[in-house]
Amino acid sequence: GDSVTQMEGPVTLSEEAFLTINCTYTATGYPSLFWYVQYPGEGLQLLLKATKADDKGSNKGFEATYRKETTSFHLEKGSVQVSDSAVYFCALLMDSSYKLIFGSGTRLLVRP
Amino acid sequence: NAGVMQNPRHLVRRRGQEARLRCSPMKGHSHVYWYRQLPEEGLKFMVYLQKENIIDESGMPKERFSAEFPKEGPSILRIQQVVRGDSAAYFCASGSGRFPEAFFGQGTRLTVV
């Protein structure tokens, strides 16, 4: 079935370091792809999304490009801040479906 | 995000008790989705409801779990005779259409002791 695989965490970085969180997916069709962020003690917030191949989603300095050839949607940020410390979830939504399929999440810890 | 209200934020129940989790969707939203997040796992779809209708409950355990979204009032996720394995964070999302990707509540963290 359809699934999402994320790199395991925690990922620990120093402030201003470059961030990559890997996400790959398996799907029978052409899904929309999402990154959600969960700050400590809070719910999920949509960070960015892409709906078709080669689309780039971006928000708050984060970017991810929908790569159909590698079935990937890696999250990147050029310079992380302490306030970016959170759990990041990659997710997919198949066309005509309403069930988001989530990866297991990657915890990011940014040290000052 | 802040528009979808869930309560309580934290709930502690003893084994065998009932847990009732509430979700008030954003104003104008008539579609509600419940997800469960087990420790160290991603969220898993449980149920999709519209006002007074259950559209898809394929992710709900067959026993002890039920959900409703009445004409008036919040959506309720009810877990009867809770067991330790029910300990999880339960999230609700709402939307005005069939695609709930944008608006999640803060979740209810259920602990069964």
Side-chain angles (χ1 to χ4, degrees), chain B residues 23-112:
Chain B
C23 169
S24 296
M26 285 186 68
K27 187 176 180 180
H29 285 183
S30 59
H31 300 243
V32 165
Y33 311 80
W34 285 93
Y35 286 78
R36 178 164 67 173
Q37 183 184 23
L38 294 170
E40 305 302 320
E41 294 187 16
L43 282 72
K44 299 281 196 302
F45 170 83
M46 297 182 75
V47 61
Y48 165 31
L49 308 109
Q50 293 180 25
K51 285 281 188 182
E52 300 183 278
N53 285 304
I54 297 174
I55 307 302
D56 182 350
E57 56 182 349
S58 59
M60 289 251 284
K62 293 287 186 282
E63 297 179 351
R64 303 186 297 108
F65 285 71
S66 62
E68 63 176 8
F69 188 17
K71 186 177 179 181
E72 301 292 337
S75 175
I76 306 286
L77 179 66
R78 183 181 178 208
I79 312 172
Q80 296 178 288
Q81 300 176 323
V82 296
V83 300
R84 288 231 170 100
D86 297 332
S87 295
Y90 292 82
F91 289 94
C92 164
S94 76
S96 55
R98 295 177 78 240
F99 304 109
E101 70 266 21
F103 304 103
F104 276 82
Q106 293 180 298
T108 294
R109 282 159 178 80
L110 171 66
T111 302
V112 179

Side-chain angles (χ1 to χ4, degrees), chain A residues 41-60:
Chain A
E42 297 187 13
L44 273 71
Q45 299 176 25
L46 178 64
L47 182 59
L48 53 85
K49 71 177 185 181
T51 57
K52 61 182 187 299
D54 300 324
D55 268 3
K56 177 185 282 188
S58 60
N59 185 26
K60 300 181 181 179

